[in-house]
Amino acid sequence: MRGFLASSIGVTCAAALALPLTPPALAATARPVPATEAATTARPAPHAGTSATTPAGRRAAEPYAAGSTQSLPLEPLTHDRATPSAPSSAEQGLPRRAVRHFSLVGVVWDDPDAELHGRVRVRTRAAGTGTWSGWQDLDTHNADHAPDTDTPERASGRVRGATAPLWVGDSDGVELRVRSEPDRSAQRSPDARRLPAAPPLPSGLRLELVDPGEDDHLLGAEEGPRTAGAPNTETSALTEASAANADFAPLGATEIAALSRARTEQEYRALNSGGLTEQQLQAKPYVGPRPGIVTRRGWGANEGLRESGLRYTKKVKAAFVHHTASGNKYRCSQVPSLIRSIYRYHVKSMGWRDIGYNFLIDKCGKIYEGRAGGVAKPVLGAHTLGFNSNSMGIAVLGSYGATKPSKSAVKAIARLTAWKLGLYRMNPKGKTYLKSAGSNLHRKGKKVRLNVISGHRDGFKTECPGRKLYGKLGSARSKAARYQGR
């Protein structure tokens, strides 16, 4: 696959002038936005039902809405008499309050290795109507989605522990409860004479309220990439992501078009002409037709948020399927906003260099580019702790523990894997070996035999990708193999 890695180098510099930055009409209003915005610095939240809470009113009041994060420290809700303000109280949270607009929530804490044993519940107020939702649970077991422990991304000093994010739609009020609970397995122990004490909550708990903003490919970047001293860093961040796909679409394209099987095979041979033997070039390749893919530009990624530069692994030997555990209450028209929210949460709240997944799929079956680096290249992600090298992570947007994934989403998994795994000559119905970088299921250094299309729980002890989605992976493998012509 050397052709994929080398092909974009020559166009990156030339592309620097090809992509627009902030449009002239918005240049005067564009301004840097802090990485996190505490409630003390936020402007007063509008009252529900006012014109400022409607989409039209918001656009009129905020012509430059590039997204933001409100980061609110939690307060103890139950107190020990001896230490009334102890930060490790069994229950912390925030009382009901008005806040600035947001659409996605999550809770973070200081130590990425600390676990939150307990329950996190949130209620939100819908902007415009003032209606409060019922209590909703956030998935607290999210440490299995992370950069590998021996990578610069993990060692950056920015990474935090976090719950999974929850999509709640346009909201302007919030209430939160975080309660520590005893280990349930210890309660079931026959030797236990009494219930164990609830463990302390992690330190530094904060509620993150994420506003995805408008499509940033129309508005430009409000924050420069996190690399000091590099000239024209904003231009470089915008162009390098698009140039990485220059073999498949024009610079600045919002979508990579689907191809027929015949055209995909021609493209495969052209891109691999220097890396295949004559016999391999003459043989019919087992590669599925390239599916249509919405680029980062297409879902409005603000390339100034992520760390500049692109990181690759050697090849793609396996695909790990995930769910985002962000709830199913989204419309497909909202997906660009949802992905922008997850992207911001991964980077600004959790401290990762970019969104963790290589691809995302919505319930309507549309495929989206995830981490920057090129859809055909072996981009190093942060999706399956212990197995990010030589793999790719595909996240289906939603929660699939009790809800069946749509047929469209399962078909999209099959179409994407048939193409991407085919580029690396992998059989979707086959097995492969990956070397563990360390997880709670496989020790570091162990060579683990896995399905070429695996669920997240195959590499890490986790509920992800949910019982219902995991049960559909056999069907996805068979479909992918058929798409490859096997």
Side-chain angles (χ1 to χ4, degrees), residues 72 74 77 91-99 102 105 107 120-125 132-136 138 172-178 207 209:
L72 311 178
L74 304 195
L77 298 180
E91 188 170 9
Q92 296 184 37
L94 291 172
R96 185 184 301 191
R97 65 178 63 187
V99 293
F102 66 96
V105 303
V107 172
V120 179
R121 297 190 299 158
V122 67
R123 333 173 43 205
T124 55
R125 184 178 67 183
W132 283 88
S133 72
W135 287 103
Q136 300 183 79
L138 275 67
D172 61 9
V174 69
E175 183 177 3
L176 180 75
R177 295 286 183 269
V178 180
L207 173 65
L209 304 176

Side-chain angles (χ1 to χ4, degrees), residues 67 69 210 222 305 340-349:
T69 302
V210 180
E222 92 277 13
L305 284 181
R340 289 198 303 276
S341 297
I342 294 174
Y343 171 43
R344 178 173 279 273
Y345 185 69
H346 282 183
V347 175
K348 289 299 181 183
S349 300

Side-chain angles (χ1 to χ4, degrees), residues 406-427:
S406 68
K407 292 181 180 178
S408 297
V410 176
K411 182 179 179 180
I413 294 171
R415 293 175 63 230
L416 175 59
T417 52
W419 173 70
K420 181 68 179 276
L421 292 172
L423 295 178
Y424 293 84
R425 297 183 288 282
M426 298 301 296
N427 182 348

Side-chain angles (χ1 to χ4, degrees), residues 60-410:
E62 303 176 47
Y64 183 69
S68 63
T69 302
Q70 301 170 76
S71 186
L72 311 178
L74 304 195
E75 307 166 359
L77 298 180
T78 59
H79 306 297
D80 186 302
R81 292 182 180 178
T83 55
S85 60
S88 59
S89 299
E91 188 170 9
Q92 296 184 37
L94 291 172
R96 185 184 301 191
R97 65 178 63 187
V99 293
R100 290 184 295 107
H101 284 257
F102 66 96
S103 296
L104 180 138
V105 303
V107 172
V108 301
W109 52 91
D110 294 337
D111 184 359
D113 295 319
E115 295 186 31
L116 196 164
H117 296 284
R119 191 175 187 185
V120 179
R121 297 190 299 158
V122 67
R123 333 173 43 205
T124 55
R125 184 178 67 183
T129 67
T131 303
W132 283 88
S133 72
W135 287 103
Q136 300 183 79
D137 285 281
L138 275 67
D139 187 344
T140 59
H141 300 292
N142 195 49
D144 45 341
H145 302 77
D148 289 338
T149 54
D150 57 351
T151 60
E153 183 172 5
R154 178 69 177 217
S156 67
R158 296 188 300 265
V159 179
R160 305 177 189 90
T163 67
L166 179 68
W167 175 260
V168 294
D170 191 17
S171 304
D172 61 9
V174 69
E175 183 177 3
L176 180 75
R177 295 286 183 269
V178 180
R179 183 173 181 81
S180 175
E181 294 180 350
D183 187 344
R184 294 182 179 180
S185 62
Q187 292 183 33
R188 291 193 296 267
S189 172
D191 298 328
R193 297 182 180 180
R194 58 182 179 179
L195 294 178
L201 292 171
S203 61
L205 287 166
R206 303 182 73 89
L207 173 65
E208 305 287 290
L209 304 176
V210 180
D211 178 2
E214 304 296 336
D215 285 359
D216 289 335
H217 77 272
L218 299 176
L219 295 172
E222 92 277 13
E223 297 176 81
R226 294 178 293 159
T227 298
N232 300 318
T233 51
E234 288 190 15
T235 302
S236 297
L238 287 165
T239 57
E240 70 178 354
S242 186
N245 291 316
D247 288 320
F248 308 106
L251 293 171
T254 58
E255 187 166 0
I256 295 170
L259 289 183
S260 66
R261 179 187 299 277
R263 290 190 61 191
T264 300
E265 291 176 357
Q266 293 173 3
E267 182 180 74
Y268 170 84
R269 292 188 178 96
L271 292 170
N272 287 278
S273 58
L276 297 176
T277 65
E278 187 62 31
Q279 183 178 5
Q280 288 174 325
L281 285 170
Q282 295 300 322
K284 180 178 176 62
Y286 289 111
V287 57
R290 188 181 78 197
I293 302 171
V294 177
T295 66
R296 291 171 63 90
R297 192 90 169 159
W299 53 260
N302 174 3
E303 299 297 349
L305 284 181
R306 64 177 176 85
E307 186 178 293
S308 62
L310 307 173
R311 302 289 182 269
Y312 297 98
T313 183
K314 293 180 180 179
K315 59 184 72 174
V316 179
K317 297 174 64 178
F320 285 99
V321 178
H322 305 255
H323 67 170
T324 57
S326 51
N328 301 314
K329 296 178 182 179
Y330 70 87
R331 300 187 302 274
C332 290
S333 61
Q334 296 176 312
V335 168
S337 293
L338 173 54
I339 297 177
R340 289 198 303 276
S341 297
I342 294 174
Y343 171 43
R344 178 173 279 273
Y345 185 69
H346 282 183
V347 175
K348 289 299 181 183
S349 300
M350 297 179 67
W352 297 357
R353 71 184 317 273
D354 194 352
I355 192 170
Y357 308 112
N358 298 106
F359 296 93
L360 301 100
I361 293 173
D362 67 23
K363 56 190 174 185
C364 292
K366 185 169 285 189
I367 301 168
Y368 299 81
E369 179 185 14
R371 181 164 287 208
V375 295
K377 299 176 184 177
V379 178
L380 179 64
H383 48 84
T384 306
L385 181 60
F387 294 96
N388 289 309
S389 292
N390 297 330
S391 70
M392 66 174 179
I394 302 169
V396 181
L397 294 162
S399 303
Y400 298 102
T403 302
K404 290 182 179 179
S406 68
K407 292 181 180 178
S408 297
V410 176

